[in-house]
Amino acid sequence: MARPRIYLDHAATSPLRPEAKAAMEEGFALWANPSSPHAEGRRAKQALEDARARVKAALAWEGEVIFTSGASESALLAFDHAAVINEAVSAVEHDAIYGFVGGRDVPSIPVSDEGELDLEVLTKLIEPSSIVEGKENRSLVAVQHVNSETGTIQNIEAIAEVVRDHGGLLLVDCAQSAGKMPLPDCDMAIVSAHKFGGPIGVGALLVRDFAMLKPSGGHERGYRRGTENLPDILGMAAALEAGDIENWATTVEQQFDFKNELFRQGEVLRMGMHCSHIIAVAHPTMSAQAQLIRLDSMGFAVSAGSACSSGTLKKSRVLDAFGVPDDVAARTIRVSMGWSSTPEELDAFAEAWRSLT
């Protein structure tokens, strides 16, 4: 019999948790529009607000929760409706962020050789809060908590101190950390359910105070248009309640042991602080594309970067911003673990990767 395939691309999408699937099935019975005034609508509304409270509790978030269709819409909501005049983003943000700000001439904040955001440049880019033509001159700064290609963790506490000292708002992309690690202290956070075992097509923008956003009308307290996807929202809440990284099939220690095992065979990219569940590793000789083809044929699912950019043969913009040499980037793949990854799967991958020549 053929060996079951081993999935190690959780940073792209994590398999649906059984708890989330069961919650979604219950949600399909609540088919009414939560905004409708009749009894069916009120039942759906009650389930929606209960899920909102559960998400807040699971994430230990004391602010507001705006349900969206995922991380991309959450980012769009923040950039289009934040009560700010200026914007700045880190040079290693996800392509979804750069897609929104590309045409706005938004300044990019570089990172050091150690992968840390350059706080001196950040300080120069954002202005202290003041009144300009009757509007508050406030900056929105976007930073990814855990980088989706390298697993680098930004020091959000230090970044937040600079942003707040200058009267700005800090938006943190927590797509790769929410449901795994505690949320950082920030003004707004981006959450995506399918990164932690919830369904695809649902997420949230967490906002410390609604006053940080300009309302757009419609649903979600008037901050988002479109009927809420109640079954998926219930699945998202259930996936969060199933537990964070401490409840996975592998321990954090086993994940770091796996990373060290790969380091003995190749070059694991370790820029600054790094998480245990996302690994960028360069093979000594084989190109990333060749590795993906070989590993796929051997039954392993991994990628060569974020799912939004892995289909291109161009060098990763993120690896370039981190200062990774071209020849190393060309040999780098991403291995990412999730709630269902087992120690046996990690051992099998390490053995298979070791065999590539």
Side-chain angles (χ1 to χ4, degrees):
M1 293 181 62
R3 186 177 66 183
R5 288 183 60 82
I6 293 176
Y7 184 80
L8 292 172
D9 196 20
H10 289 257
T13 291
S14 205
L16 188 67
R17 280 182 174 270
E19 299 91 341
K21 181 180 179 181
M24 292 170 67
E25 290 172 347
E26 293 178 8
F28 289 131
L30 299 170
W31 43 263
N33 191 318
S35 296
S36 297
H38 44 62
E40 290 83 357
R42 293 197 303 273
R43 281 197 294 271
K45 181 70 169 180
Q46 181 178 358
L48 174 68
E49 295 309 321
D50 178 65
R52 197 186 311 276
R54 291 163 56 197
V55 166
K56 290 173 65 172
L59 293 173
W61 180 257
E62 296 181 356
E64 308 293 346
V65 173
I66 301 172
F67 288 118
T68 67
S69 62
S72 293
E73 188 194 354
S74 296
L76 179 62
L77 243 176
F79 277 100
D80 277 359
H81 297 284
V84 299
I85 291 180
N86 305 306
E87 298 165 341
V89 301
S90 89
V92 293
E93 291 306 291
H94 192 278
D95 281 348
I97 298 291
Y98 267 83
F100 296 137
V101 303
R104 302 189 189 191
D105 195 27
V106 174
S108 177
I109 311 161
V111 293
S112 69
D113 294 340
E114 297 300 319
E116 298 175 348
L117 197 73
D118 191 321
L119 298 183
E120 290 187 9
V121 173
L122 171 62
T123 302
K124 294 175 182 177
L125 286 176
I126 57 177
E127 295 294 332
S129 182
S130 60
I131 302 299
V132 178
E133 296 180 352
K135 296 182 180 179
E136 190 169 16
N137 183 23
R138 173 182 277 180
S139 296
L140 176 69
V141 177
V143 180
Q144 199 172 43
H145 187 197
V146 173
N147 188 269
S148 57
E149 295 190 36
T150 66
T152 300
I153 302 174
Q154 289 297 332
N155 185 348
I156 301 300
E157 183 178 355
I159 296 168
E161 183 176 355
V162 172
V163 173
R164 288 173 182 163
D165 282 349
H166 289 74
L169 297 180
L170 179 61
L171 168 67
V172 180
D173 179 358
C174 295
Q176 299 296 344
S177 60
K180 305 176 181 73
M181 305 158 51
L183 292 180
D185 182 20
C186 57
D187 300 301
M188 289 184 271
I190 294 170
V191 176
S192 180
H194 73 105
K195 304 296 188 181
F196 50 75
I200 293 174
V202 65
L205 177 65
L206 311 183
V207 185
R208 187 158 52 84
D209 189 328
F210 277 138
M212 295 176 175
L213 297 177
K214 294 169 283 191
S216 59
H219 302 276
E220 291 299 284
R221 311 304 206 271
Y223 289 89
R224 188 248 182 182
R225 295 187 179 277
T227 302
E228 294 92 347
N229 183 349
L230 182 57
D232 281 7
I233 288 171
L234 294 177
M236 175 180 175
L240 284 171
E241 291 173 335
D244 59 13
I245 200 168
E246 299 298 332
N247 301 95
W248 286 7
T250 52
T251 66
V252 171
E253 290 74 18
Q254 288 171 323
Q255 294 160 28
F256 275 121
D257 286 344
F258 172 60
K259 181 177 287 193
N260 291 331
E261 177 64 25
L262 296 184
F263 187 70
R264 281 190 280 272
Q265 308 301 322
E267 181 180 350
V268 173
L269 309 186
R270 305 189 189 211
M271 284 78 74
M273 297 185 293
H274 55 101
C275 69
S276 62
H277 59 281
I278 298 176
I279 304 171
V281 59
H283 192 275
T285 58
M286 187 175 292
S287 73
Q289 294 300 319
Q291 291 176 69
L292 297 186
I293 294 170
R294 291 280 301 278
L295 289 167
D296 190 41
S297 68
M298 296 166 71
F300 297 92
V302 293
S303 71
S306 72
C308 298
S309 61
S310 59
T312 176
L313 295 177
K314 295 188 300 182
K315 180 182 179 182
S316 161
R317 174 184 54 77
V318 168
L319 294 185
D320 195 41
F322 273 123
V324 178
D326 290 356
D327 67 310
V328 176
R331 294 180 278 108
T332 298
I333 64 171
R334 180 184 69 181
V335 183
S336 51
M337 294 155 274
W339 67 271
S340 59
S341 304
T342 66
E344 293 76 18
E345 289 176 339
L346 302 188
D347 289 342
F349 179 85
E351 181 180 353
W353 196 69
R354 193 163 46 240
S355 72
L356 295 180
T357 55

